[in-house]
Amino acid sequence: MRQLRRLEMLIDVVYAIVIWRIFTLIPRPERGDFSWNTISEFLLSAKSDLIMALVGLVIVIIYWTQNNTIFGNLVRTDNRHTTLSIIQIFSLLLFLYAMRMGTFFEGTVGARVFESAAAALLGITSAAGWTYAMHNQRLIRKDMTGTEARDLLVKVLAEPAAALLTIPCAFIGPVVWEIAWLSFIPFAQVLKKLRPKW
């Protein structure tokens, strides 16, 4: 139990730092900069930074909510699960770094592939951690049924599946790549239908 509480505390601290770093991405006017006359002009001049901050915040909310759901069903952790959780947190930081790199190398295939791969790694480590925890009810609540555990795994798997699909789409073009991110919706439905056969 103590190890689980310490792991949760570590994750809380990392998410808090990430939220602060996202806030610092919001552009601030500098003294002596008279290239804009109104707040709306200033914000429009920095729209790429604002969009990146918004997308980063959405990603953090998605994975924070997912993490809370998963950890709410754990009763303990062990060294292997802790390792997977720390790799997942590192993957979150790597994904946000990839997003930042994408603004500097906008439009390049390498930037899109890097972002997709980082997102896939984030989702895969999350799914691996939950799969390990639920195997033979190793780390999860004893009253949690196998169906409930598999349903949660389905929700976790949809995002990395979509991220993996975006990797080949990155070579086709930016529009196709961006549209491919929406594939997590049909992936979630397909995986849910296949779940009873597992």
Side-chain angles (χ1 to χ4, degrees), residues 46-112:
K47 63 183 176 189
S48 61
D49 287 333
L50 290 171
I51 290 170
M52 189 179 67
L54 179 62
V55 171
L57 186 61
V58 169
I59 295 296
V60 166
I61 290 170
I62 289 170
Y63 280 98
W64 172 251
T65 304
Q66 184 187 97
N67 187 269
N68 281 338
T69 302
I70 288 173
F71 273 71
N73 290 297
L74 295 177
V75 291
R76 64 188 184 87
T77 187
D78 59 18
N79 291 339
R80 193 168 294 177
H81 179 263
T82 297
T83 300
L84 288 169
S85 297
I86 290 171
I87 294 171
Q88 182 191 357
I89 290 299
F90 179 79
S91 301
L92 173 66
L93 297 173
L94 186 64
F95 177 65
L96 295 173
Y97 174 75
M99 285 178 55
R100 185 68 174 164
M101 293 295 284
T103 62
F104 288 104
F105 300 97
E106 191 174 358
T108 64
V109 173
R112 293 194 295 268

Side-chain angles (χ1 to χ4, degrees), residues 3 7 15 19 21 77 79 86:
Q3 188 174 352
L7 178 59
Y15 271 99
I19 291 168
R21 288 293 298 147
T77 187
N79 291 339
I86 290 171

Side-chain angles (χ1 to χ4, degrees), residues 1-5 8 70-77 130 133 137-143:
M1 281 295 291
R2 184 165 180 261
Q3 188 174 352
L4 180 61
R5 284 196 301 271
E8 288 174 326
I70 288 173
F71 273 71
N73 290 297
L74 295 177
V75 291
R76 64 188 184 87
T77 187
W130 179 246
Q137 290 194 311
R138 182 183 282 129
L139 306 174
I140 65 174
R141 301 183 284 112
K142 294 300 179 188
D143 61 334

Side-chain angles (χ1 to χ4, degrees), residues 17-34:
I17 292 169
V18 167
I19 291 168
W20 171 251
R21 288 293 298 147
I22 289 172
F23 177 75
T24 62
L25 292 177
I26 299 173
R28 295 175 298 280
E30 300 292 336
R31 289 186 180 274
D33 186 356
F34 299 106

